[in-house]
Amino acid sequence: MTLTRIQSGVGVLTIETARSDAVGDLRLGCAYQLRSGVSSVLHNVGEPTMAPPQSTRPVIIRGHERFTLDLVQGRDLDRLVIYAFSGGGTPPDWAVTLIATTFGRARIEMPLDRLLPQRAVVLMSLYNVAGEFVLRAEMDEVGGTAREACAAYGFDQITWLDSWTPLS
């Protein structure tokens, strides 16, 4: 789906999950690249974080199971992918929907049907094409780990502590 120039530049774009508590330990990550060439990862573990780090005007803010993109700063964002994995090691009940909501309350719902335990799946990608954001539902099992999933989408310059934990 292509957002209009106004949808791509006004307010915020929120990407979050809708799920029941029975789902288990679902973890989301966001690999991003800014126009400056800086790329990194935000995970939904621990305290909320933002990209770029220590910025007074962050492009992406990560909260609990939610990523918020400041579209006023959106021109600084080149691309990103949202991925998910089960942190608990047991097969969860994957009754989950990924929802992207624009400032004007337009919603894009992407049901997550087939996610495997201990395997990272790229759920969605976003590209900045001439100032308009293009969102794609990927649902792509590209690798076993978060690191492999990010590398499969060209985020291979990110430093990792291990296969699941990016170096912040």
Side-chain angles (χ1 to χ4, degrees):
M1 171 177 198
T2 302
L3 301 181
T4 67
R5 195 165 297 280
I6 291 178
Q7 289 173 320
S8 298
V10 175
V12 297
L13 177 66
T14 304
I15 302 164
E16 60 191 332
T17 60
R19 65 185 187 101
S20 73
D21 290 336
V23 168
D25 189 10
L26 175 70
R27 298 187 186 184
L28 294 179
C30 170
Y32 66 90
Q33 181 176 0
L34 302 177
R35 293 278 175 169
S36 66
V38 171
S39 62
S40 190
V41 174
L42 298 175
H43 265 312
N44 74 341
V45 179
E47 296 295 316
T49 55
M50 60 186 162
Q54 293 85 29
S55 173
T56 57
R57 305 239 9 219
V59 176
I60 308 167
I61 299 173
R62 184 206 46 82
H64 182 68
E65 296 181 22
R66 173 183 294 189
F67 294 97
T68 304
L69 284 65
D70 179 357
L71 298 179
V72 172
Q73 303 300 319
R75 66 185 172 277
D76 295 335
L77 182 64
D78 191 33
R79 64 191 180 106
L80 67 81
V81 294
I82 303 291
Y83 60 90
F85 60 93
S86 169
T90 58
D93 173 14
W94 289 107
V96 179
T97 300
L98 188 69
I99 301 170
T101 308
T102 67
F103 179 68
R105 294 277 190 221
R107 288 172 47 119
I108 304 155
E109 297 181 5
M110 297 162 266
L112 313 181
D113 298 346
R114 53 178 185 87
L115 301 179
L116 301 173
Q118 293 300 313
R119 294 198 45 97
V121 176
V122 174
L123 306 175
M124 185 195 95
S125 62
L126 179 145
Y127 297 91
N128 186 338
V129 179
E132 294 179 342
F133 288 135
V134 177
L135 283 71
R136 289 178 39 110
E138 300 290 351
M139 307 308 167
D140 190 8
E141 295 177 33
V142 292
T145 67
R147 181 180 188 169
E148 291 170 341
C150 291
Y153 277 76
F155 295 97
D156 51 3
Q157 299 298 313
I158 297 170
T159 305
W160 295 79
L161 292 173
D162 59 38
S163 295
W164 296 99
T165 312
L167 181 63
S168 306

